[in-house]
Amino acid sequence: MAAIVSITDLRKTYAGGFEALKGVSLDIEEGEILALLGPNGAGKTTLISAVCGITTPTSGRITVGGHDVTTEFRAARSLIGLVPQEISLEPFEKVMWTVRFSRGLFGKRRDDAHVEKVLRQLSLWDKRDTQVKALSGGMKRRVLIAKALSHEPRVLFLDEPTAGVDVELRKDMWQMVHGLKQEGVTIILTTHYIEEAEAMADRVGVISRGELLLVERKAELMHRLARKELKIELPTPLRELPASLSRYQLQRSDDGRTLVYTYEANAETSGIGVLLRDLHEAGIAVADVRTHQSSLEDIFVDLVKEDVT
Amino acid sequence: MNLPAIKAIYVFEMARFFRTILQSIISPVISTSLYFVVFGSAIGSRIDTVDGVSYGAFIVPGLVMLTVLMQSVSNASFGIYFPKFIGTIYELLSAPLSFIEIVIGYVGAAATKSLVIGTIILVTATFFVDLHVEHPVWMIAFLLLTCLSFALLGFILGIWAKSFEQLQLVPMLVITPLVFLGGSFYSIKMLPPAWQTVTLFNPVVYLISGFRWAFFGVADVSLMGSALAILGFFALCLAIVWWIFKTGWRIRS
């Protein structure tokens, strides 16, 4: 599929000398949901700001729908909807008005039918004549999304869409994102909630300290990096591991009642069979076994840790 | 040119004006009436005429200018400072807009507001004094250019300001004194010769003089001087605004 957003060697150094982006290259395919994961200050928002025209890149090239964001900024920005991280809204405006205003800013003729559709989608229709300042935090975030969707964007950026949002709204948001994907909208979201990336994304990119560490299909990433753990509970504490078991690199818990065996989830043979046989031969009785598959979160923590060290 | 965007910004800003319509209109009407009572009646009754114009009528152009200058600056500076302050400027920056649309929208709305207020003051003045305008086309031209130039100046201040305090500072410390010392309530010919020379460095003198000439046909400085001053100031403000958007100064990081 063609890339709808193409970023080449993007660098951003702020006036104070802080290097927020250190040469990021990334192609985002039309119609996909890409989650950008990274700790606070990793450069996620700077990356989005550069694509959307809020920050001027120090160097590098960005195109949206084939249009360069600097030289053909009108064509490029018309395709983009942005939901910022901070809740920034005119407090005295009514919901309907502020959404209409956004549509106008993006050069679209007034279309109350579309605005109504967006407001209904976000359960804001009943609040259309309410002043923004009278809304709850979650509702305000919905208004931000309505503003971004008001001009029918092809690409939607959601910067930390569910930060500080209650469970119900989070579920609604996920549903809405999937709905937009059905309509063919490309969605880029940043988050540091791993479960969000796991629930929504087709691909996952990991950013740390201004560098894109990897971008991969979520399933492949989990497949490639996932490890499994086998926990073996012992009926009697084990003081010392017998030498015959050393090749399994077992971890013994402090109380000696648990052994942990780690193996690649997709290795050809797990080695569990021989391990259990060797345990038996070494005279170690087994009370219970449990397996645990590492989540995206574990993978992510490992990646960022490696990057720091 | 993104016309729907200009319309959106203009309508949005005008809506703010109409939301506070009482404050927007009543306050200039009351302050103008007070000026007429104090300067026109109380003090003016002891002054015959200035350049053959009754004192009450003489101060009308100055009063209109005084209000129009202050309103243009404060409306335009607030209009663009507020989105910066609450963060909604992100939307202007990410929309398919160039500085031309943003300036036309914000400055156009601010200039419209001060034009409306200026007109209201003129109408109020007719209740107190006999007014006739000798050169109506020039009067409208001066009024329009003043509204636009000072709305541009206000826009620049709004971009420059980093706090509400700074936003108030320039109008209070610079514009108010320039207007009061710019011959709003007197002819600069009434000043000692040395002060007359100093006054010629005050740009507001040229505005008020030209505007007053359009009413009564009398002026402190030449009409050409006034016309060039206002056009020059307008061009200067435009150039600064152009530079601001080209460099992204205090807007884009």
Side-chain angles (χ1 to χ4, degrees):
Chain A
M1 244 191 292
I4 191 154
V5 179
S6 179
I7 300 167
T8 317
D9 199 26
L10 181 66
R11 289 168 195 277
K12 175 68 188 180
T13 310
Y14 282 104
F18 175 67
E19 222 181 335
L21 294 173
K22 300 171 185 164
V24 172
S25 294
L26 171 65
D27 275 345
I28 299 163
E29 290 162 18
E30 178 147 27
E32 75 169 329
I33 302 178
L34 175 75
L36 290 173
L37 284 171
N40 288 326
K44 304 185 295 278
T45 301
T46 305
L47 180 65
I48 288 185
S49 300
V51 179
C52 296
I54 291 166
T55 298
T56 315
T58 309
S59 68
R61 186 178 140 86
I62 306 167
T63 62
V64 179
H67 307 286
D68 187 290
V69 296
T70 320
T71 54
E72 301 164 84
F73 69 93
R74 283 181 201 269
R77 289 188 205 158
S78 302
L79 302 174
I80 302 175
L82 167 65
V83 181
Q85 191 174 337
E86 301 279 328
I87 293 181
S88 313
L89 288 164
E90 278 274 350
F92 306 110
E93 280 301 319
K94 288 178 179 164
V95 171
M96 185 85 178
W97 269 90
T98 187
V99 176
R100 242 185 232 155
F101 171 72
S102 302
R103 187 176 167 86
L105 274 190
F106 279 76
K108 290 272 165 69
R109 300 274 158 216
R110 185 168 157 178
D111 180 352
D112 286 349
H114 177 72
V115 172
E116 179 177 344
K117 192 188 110 189
V118 169
L119 290 181
R120 283 192 187 280
Q121 245 176 12
L122 291 158
S123 319
L124 280 170
W125 183 243
D126 296 339
K127 306 273 185 193
R128 62 188 178 279
D129 290 323
T130 309
Q131 277 194 332
V132 166
K133 63 173 179 176
L135 297 176
S136 68
M139 282 291 174
K140 282 181 185 155
R141 200 167 278 281
R142 286 173 200 242
V143 175
L144 282 180
I145 298 171
K147 281 165 81 75
L149 294 176
S150 67
H151 62 275
E152 300 152 76
R154 303 289 309 140
V155 183
L156 182 67
F157 285 91
L158 294 160
D159 197 357
E160 306 268 351
T162 53
V165 152
D166 62 38
V167 180
E168 194 190 354
L169 179 55
R170 193 174 299 177
K171 290 273 154 62
D172 282 1
M173 198 98 69
W174 293 357
Q175 216 167 19
M176 184 206 74
V177 167
H178 282 300
L180 287 170
K181 182 186 156 74
Q182 298 298 316
E183 292 172 26
V185 179
T186 308
I187 294 147
I188 297 99
L189 61 101
T190 72
T191 183
H192 48 236
Y193 294 120
I194 317 291
E195 58 163 340
E196 198 156 278
E198 228 169 334
M200 287 204 271
D202 299 316
R203 285 200 301 163
V204 176
V206 178
I207 298 188
S208 177
R209 300 174 157 211
E211 281 171 293
L212 192 62
L213 299 180
L214 63 83
V215 189
E216 246 178 277
R217 306 213 72 77
K218 182 183 64 186
E220 281 165 22
L221 177 68
M222 297 196 58
H223 185 69
R224 185 164 69 82
L225 292 174
R227 291 179 162 272
K228 274 192 145 183
E229 281 179 349
L230 178 73
K231 269 193 181 165
I232 304 159
E233 310 272 346
L234 307 177
T236 46
L238 187 68
R239 287 228 184 115
E240 214 175 320
L241 278 170
S244 62
L245 296 173
S246 63
R247 68 188 176 106
Y248 295 106
Q249 295 181 313
L250 298 173
Q251 285 172 293
R252 193 179 60 93
S253 65
D254 287 343
D255 63 2
R257 282 184 168 273
T258 322
L259 297 175
V260 178
Y261 170 59
T262 312
Y263 59 100
E264 300 280 325
N266 51 319
E268 272 173 35
T269 53
S270 62
I272 292 175
V274 276
L275 168 65
L276 290 177
R277 192 198 61 203
D278 287 353
L279 280 171
H280 180 73
E281 278 176 7
I284 301 169
V286 173
D288 198 2
V289 290
R290 274 181 299 152
T291 61
H292 163 76
Q293 168 124 35
S294 61
S295 66
L296 200 50
E297 177 147 8
D298 303 327
I299 300 170
F300 170 72
V301 170
D302 283 349
L303 268 172
V304 175
K305 219 186 278 168
E306 268 171 40
D307 181 52
V308 172
T309 49
Chain B
M1 186 78 87
N2 183 346
L3 292 177
I6 296 177
K7 190 182 149 201
I9 296 173
Y10 186 85
V11 169
F12 190 86
E13 282 297 294
M14 291 310 285
R16 196 155 52 79
F17 177 62
F18 287 114
R19 237 187 346 246
T20 52
I21 188 87
L22 284 180
Q23 180 201 334
S24 306
I25 287 176
I26 287 185
S27 90
V29 169
I30 290 183
S31 61
T32 310
S33 305
L34 289 173
Y35 279 118
F36 278 116
V37 171
V38 174
F39 288 103
S41 307
I43 297 175
S45 62
R46 293 162 186 262
I47 305 171
D48 280 351
T49 57
V50 183
D51 293 333
V53 181
S54 81
Y55 186 69
F58 179 85
I59 63 168
V60 172
L63 267 179
V64 173
M65 276 288 169
L66 173 77
T67 313
V68 161
L69 289 184
M70 306 296 269
Q71 289 287 332
S72 299
V73 170
S74 74
N75 281 324
S77 61
F78 187 79
I80 191 67
Y81 178 75
F82 198 55
K84 264 182 30 178
F85 177 71
I86 59 174
T88 52
I89 189 120
Y90 86 85
E91 217 180 2
L92 290 176
L93 297 178
S94 63
L97 297 173
S98 78
F99 82 98
I100 298 168
E101 287 102 344
I102 298 180
V103 170
I104 294 177
Y106 280 101
V107 171
T112 308
K113 291 176 208 174
S114 42
L115 200 62
V116 169
I117 293 167
T119 310
I120 290 171
I121 292 172
L122 271 180
V123 173
T124 314
T126 59
F127 292 109
F128 294 90
V129 289
D130 262 346
L131 261 190
H132 75 287
V133 183
E134 268 186 36
H135 310 283
V137 176
W138 278 97
M139 186 210 88
I140 293 168
F142 269 116
L143 192 59
L144 268 179
L145 269 175
T146 306
C147 289
L148 283 174
S149 318
F150 280 79
L152 275 173
L153 176 68
F155 187 85
I156 295 166
L157 287 178
I159 299 249
W160 164 80
K162 283 182 171 173
S163 64
F164 274 103
E165 198 194 3
Q166 288 187 342
L167 199 65
Q168 312 271 343
L169 211 65
V170 171
M172 213 165 61
L173 292 183
V174 180
I175 295 172
T176 312
L178 284 183
V179 174
F180 274 89
L181 301 175
S184 318
F185 302 112
Y186 56 90
S187 164
I188 61 168
K189 288 171 192 151
M190 295 168 167
L191 297 172
W195 282 104
Q196 284 192 32
T197 314
V198 171
T199 305
L200 291 179
F201 291 98
N202 178 355
V204 177
V205 165
Y206 297 86
L207 295 183
I208 294 180
S209 166
F211 195 52
R212 191 175 283 139
W213 173 86
F215 280 80
F216 310 121
V218 292
D220 288 340
V221 293
S222 76
L223 176 65
M224 252 323 127
S226 295
L228 284 177
I230 183 71
L231 283 173
F233 184 65
F234 183 62
L236 177 71
C237 290
L238 268 186
I240 295 174
V241 167
W242 177 81
W243 174 84
I244 285 175
F245 278 92
K246 198 176 145 51
T247 57
W249 181 72
R250 296 220 170 155
I251 309 180
R252 255 191 193 101
S253 56

